[in-house]
Amino acid sequence: MGTLPIALGFGAGASARRGLGLAVVGGLIVSQILTLYITPVVYLYFERLQEWLQGEHPEDYRKDDPIAAAGD
């Protein structure tokens, strides 16, 4: 929130500082998206890849899971 006035460009000489403010705010937004959304998805894919490489398949889990078996 501290760099938001710089990014919006208020005050004297604001046009000179606007690029820096936009870069900081944009970097914070991109890093939040990467941290909160992309990283967990990548971890899930790595977990599925590891299970697949070890020979475990999702069909094996359906036999032991009563909730998934009830949907059949």
Side-chain angles (χ1 to χ4, degrees):
M1 296 303 285
T3 59
L4 203 54
I6 296 172
L8 295 176
F10 294 124
S15 62
R17 296 187 306 256
R18 184 175 294 158
L20 173 67
L22 290 174
V24 171
V25 170
L28 287 171
I29 290 171
V30 169
S31 67
Q32 287 293 316
I33 290 171
L34 284 173
T35 302
L36 295 176
Y37 297 109
I38 305 299
T39 303
V41 170
V42 170
Y43 276 116
L44 287 173
Y45 281 132
F46 279 141
E47 182 180 10
R48 288 183 183 174
L49 176 65
Q50 180 182 8
E51 291 172 355
W52 182 76
L53 290 173
Q54 291 175 352
E56 300 172 2
H57 298 287
E59 296 86 25
D60 298 337
Y61 297 120
R62 292 183 60 87
K63 295 175 193 170
D64 298 330
D65 188 7
I67 296 173
D72 290 336

